[in-house]
Amino acid sequence: MLTTEVRATGVRLTTLGCGAAPAGNLYRATTDEAARATFEAAWDAGIRYFDTAPHYGLGLSERRLGAYLRTRPRDEVVVSTKVGRLLVPSPETADRTDPEMFDVPATARRVWDFSRDGVLASVEASLERTGLDRFDVVYLHDPDAHWAQAAHEALPALVELRDQGMVGAIGAGMNQSAMLTRFVRETDVDVVMCAGRFTLLEQPALADLLPAAAERGVAVVAAAVYNSGLLAHDRPPSDATYDYAPVPAGPLDRARRIAAVCEEHGVTLPQAALAYVRTHPAVVSTVVGLGEPGHAVQAAQRAAVRVPDDLWQALADAGLLAPDAVPEAAPAAVPDTVPDAGS
């Protein structure tokens, strides 16, 4: 699988990355064995970039991912985690379920902290949970309401860790593009993760983040490219999710119309969704949440599909893609040896 270097950091991300939130029991419980099998399938599919965070299952995702990756050569894998939410023990709520989408006991609570000490403590705790010796990428996680502290305390702390070799590249990961653009233009970030704001369904990042990143040489990792599930189906069902909630009628209708045009051009909606985000030169990797081994195989197969050059213009002609969102040319497929879906 192709890799791209993040600036001059030496960190190389595979075109396709494994999002490990499902290993933290996102929406539903899974087992250690099932999570390991999913990571194994991702590895076999050529994926070498794995993304996690303390937020995912109150550390469960980090523990499970670390347990698997410690069986692999460290220099062959790229691991990213995030800072900004410290996990504080909460024995008084241990008999309850975590209220934030993860099916785990609420044995800890999340505390927002973008201070220097908070960042250092978070990285140290993540190293302990994963059992790894370093992280290749560390992102500020959703600092929407914390710009000043994130920019002036958290990022300088990450710069220190980068200079010490504890971290390879630094950046921010968010569900919006406006503040990510500020990080790109006003701070010393190497990479940003943009979730759900540059997809086949909607492209607000085209107006601010992506031009800024291209201008300043900052890498962009596209996440939530299926808009948290809506674009993951060949024909989106009525009970699909959009931005982690039940899909409203408007986005559902739009996604179905996009799917119909894709079918007319011989590709599926998920195949086109993965291909579209690779059309922008600032995008170096696409992270897809993988909840079971079949998802890893499926993602790699979808990424290997060549999308017809005329699909994007056809979507524009149908009023489903803005004229300025039409790529100049279709992206190259991701070359790889992908296992059969039934394997």
Side-chain angles (χ1 to χ4, degrees):
M1 190 172 290
L2 294 175
T3 64
T4 304
E5 184 173 352
V6 176
R7 268 184 166 177
T9 61
V11 175
R12 300 191 65 88
L13 303 181
T14 47
T15 306
L16 194 62
C18 169
N25 289 3
L26 178 64
Y27 301 129
R28 61 184 178 87
T30 188
T31 64
D32 293 347
E33 293 75 18
R36 184 182 182 87
T38 299
F39 297 142
E40 186 81 24
W43 186 277
D44 290 343
I47 294 172
R48 296 295 183 269
Y49 173 33
F50 294 80
D51 175 70
T52 184
H55 173 53
Y56 303 156
L58 297 173
L60 180 61
S61 173
E62 288 187 321
R63 289 192 293 272
R64 284 174 166 171
L65 180 60
Y68 172 71
L69 292 181
R70 291 196 303 273
T71 70
R72 294 296 182 177
R74 183 64 183 88
D75 291 341
E76 294 183 18
V77 64
V78 169
V79 187
S80 61
T81 193
K82 307 178 182 76
V83 298
R85 291 173 172 93
L86 283 177
L87 302 183
V88 178
S90 180
E92 66 275 14
T93 60
D95 59 337
R96 307 172 200 170
T97 299
D98 177 45
E100 297 198 30
M101 301 186 297
F102 296 93
D103 189 359
V104 296
T107 55
R109 57 188 176 87
R110 302 167 179 85
V111 176
W112 290 106
D113 192 335
F114 288 94
S115 68
R116 179 182 183 277
D117 289 346
V119 166
L120 298 180
S122 183
V123 171
E124 182 177 359
S126 291
L127 288 171
E128 183 176 346
R129 281 189 290 268
T130 59
L132 301 175
D133 61 341
R134 68 185 188 281
F135 291 113
D136 303 285
V137 183
V138 174
Y139 299 104
L140 305 180
H141 200 183
D142 298 333
D144 303 69
H146 307 273
W147 162 260
Q149 190 176 50
H152 303 302
E153 295 185 43
L155 267 178
L158 290 182
V159 169
E160 288 181 36
L161 294 177
R162 184 181 60 188
D163 292 345
Q164 295 167 8
M166 293 296 296
V167 172
I170 61 173
M174 305 181 71
N175 293 287
Q176 59 154 297
S177 62
M179 189 177 288
L180 286 180
T181 305
R182 286 195 69 184
F183 279 114
V184 168
R185 293 202 176 279
E186 300 178 30
T187 72
D188 185 27
V189 295
D190 306 303
V191 57
V192 294
M193 177 178 284
C194 181
R197 304 287 76 87
F198 181 55
T199 72
L200 189 56
L201 186 70
E202 51 192 350
Q203 307 86 36
L206 270 178
D208 49 19
L209 174 62
L210 293 172
E215 176 187 335
R216 295 182 62 86
V218 173
V220 175
V221 173
V225 297
Y226 296 143
N227 287 106
S228 78
L230 180 58
L231 306 186
H233 307 272
D234 293 0
R235 297 183 180 182
S238 299
D239 62 351
T241 55
Y242 168 76
D243 277 359
Y244 311 102
V247 61
L252 177 61
D253 176 68
R254 184 179 181 84
R256 286 174 170 173
R257 292 169 61 200
I258 293 173
V261 177
C262 290
E263 287 183 4
E264 292 171 1
H265 286 74
V267 295
T268 67
L269 176 60
Q271 289 168 351
L274 272 180
Y276 180 74
V277 297
R278 299 198 308 272
T279 62
H280 198 283
V283 175
V284 301
S285 184
T286 303
V287 168
V288 179
L290 303 178
E292 56 187 65
H295 291 168
V297 174
Q298 185 181 58
Q301 290 177 333
R302 287 171 173 174
V305 171
R306 175 74 191 203
V307 173
D309 290 342
D310 58 353
L311 171 60
W312 317 122
Q313 187 58 52
L315 288 171
D317 293 342
L320 297 169
L321 198 61
D324 60 358
V326 176
E328 294 184 3
V334 179
D336 208 346
T337 301
V338 181
D340 294 333
S343 64

